[in-house]
Amino acid sequence: MITAIVFVKADVARIPEVAEAIAALDGVSEVYSVTGQIDLIALVRVKAHEDVATVVADKLNKVPGVNATETHIAFRTYSRHDLETAFSLGLD
């Protein structure tokens, strides 16, 4: 699984609509509205590097209200949550 973190600069007046449109794209698992130099962060989780290009370049960049993107590819995941889920037996 390939994970890409996409920083999105969006039209400020349309941030909620842009976030919802991005979240509806196949391959996008989560979208966060954030403070700082960027407006949104989208997490893209796909099977192959070519799929990152399809999601980001062919779809996400074409969402009305997206002004610019910057994409980062994750090398490794360090998450306590993921480890707990992976080793969970489903017992509470």
Side-chain angles (χ1 to χ4, degrees):
M1 181 71 62
I2 308 297
T3 299
I5 299 94
V6 184
F7 295 172
V8 180
K9 289 187 180 183
D11 179 355
V12 176
R14 301 179 69 191
I15 289 174
E17 295 85 4
V18 172
E20 288 178 12
I22 292 172
L25 297 174
D26 287 338
V28 175
S29 63
E30 300 156 68
V31 178
Y32 297 94
S33 175
V34 297
T35 62
Q37 299 292 318
I38 57 174
D39 302 302
L40 302 167
I41 295 176
L43 297 183
V44 175
R45 299 178 198 275
V46 291
K47 292 182 180 181
H49 286 97
E50 295 82 16
D51 298 331
V52 173
T54 299
V55 173
V56 177
D58 297 342
K59 297 178 184 174
L60 193 151
N61 278 336
K62 294 178 181 166
V63 169
V66 170
N67 296 332
T69 61
E70 181 178 320
T71 303
H72 301 265
I73 303 295
F75 292 127
R76 293 188 179 112
T77 301
Y78 300 93
S79 172
R80 220 173 131 179
H81 175 74
D82 289 345
L83 292 175
E84 289 171 359
T85 301
F87 293 103
S88 173
L89 296 176
L91 304 173
D92 289 326

